[in-house]
Amino acid sequence: MPHASNIVYCDGPDSPHAFDIVPIQPRKGSLDAMCAFCKGRGQWNTEIDLVSFRCKRTACDRCHGAGWVETGSDPVGLPDIEISPEGYPQWTLRFEPADEVTPIDPEKPGLSQT
């Protein structure tokens, strides 16, 4: 049985319903300040149904979903997967410069532009 819906598409974090039902992330580790791009949430809605509140979200490319950023010159450690010498995937920690800002294409949210 079909249900009523009112689906809204968000072009980015500046859209009116981008942060509906998206909580602010708790500060973890040594990250200094809330991400100015996602306002501390680490993600935003790309599509949300204003009736059922079902949504599709994308992670923030600036803070990598943490909601917090490093303001100094310390590198930021990000969890990543790499192939071990035996050919198996394994978790690792990848470090990126704190001042590196990745531009976001609103046509392809969640995909950084390199």
Side-chain angles (χ1 to χ4, degrees):
M1 182 170 168
H3 65 280
S5 66
N6 181 12
I7 297 176
V8 175
Y9 298 93
C10 303
D11 293 332
D14 295 328
S15 296
H17 296 284
F19 295 120
D20 288 4
I21 68 170
V22 181
I24 293 177
Q25 296 293 317
R27 182 177 176 203
K28 297 178 186 168
S30 62
L31 299 177
D32 297 328
M34 273 191 186
C35 176
F37 199 73
C38 68
K39 298 167 184 62
R41 289 171 171 86
Q43 59 187 333
W44 61 83
N45 299 316
T46 56
E47 183 179 317
I48 184 167
D49 184 344
L50 298 178
V51 175
S52 67
F53 291 103
R54 292 180 180 171
C55 60
K56 293 180 184 176
R57 294 181 180 170
T58 188
C60 178
D61 285 335
R62 174 66 176 105
C63 66
H64 304 284
W68 294 79
V69 294
E70 173 67 45
T71 58
S73 60
D74 294 338
V76 177
L78 303 168
D80 201 358
I81 298 174
E82 65 180 17
I83 300 297
S84 70
E86 296 82 28
Y88 298 104
Q90 66 182 11
W91 283 104
T92 186
L93 197 59
R94 173 175 46 97
F95 290 93
E96 286 191 358
D99 58 353
E100 185 176 298
V101 177
T102 310
I104 296 174
D105 182 1
E107 297 295 319
K108 297 179 272 182
L111 301 176
S112 62
Q113 303 299 303
T114 55

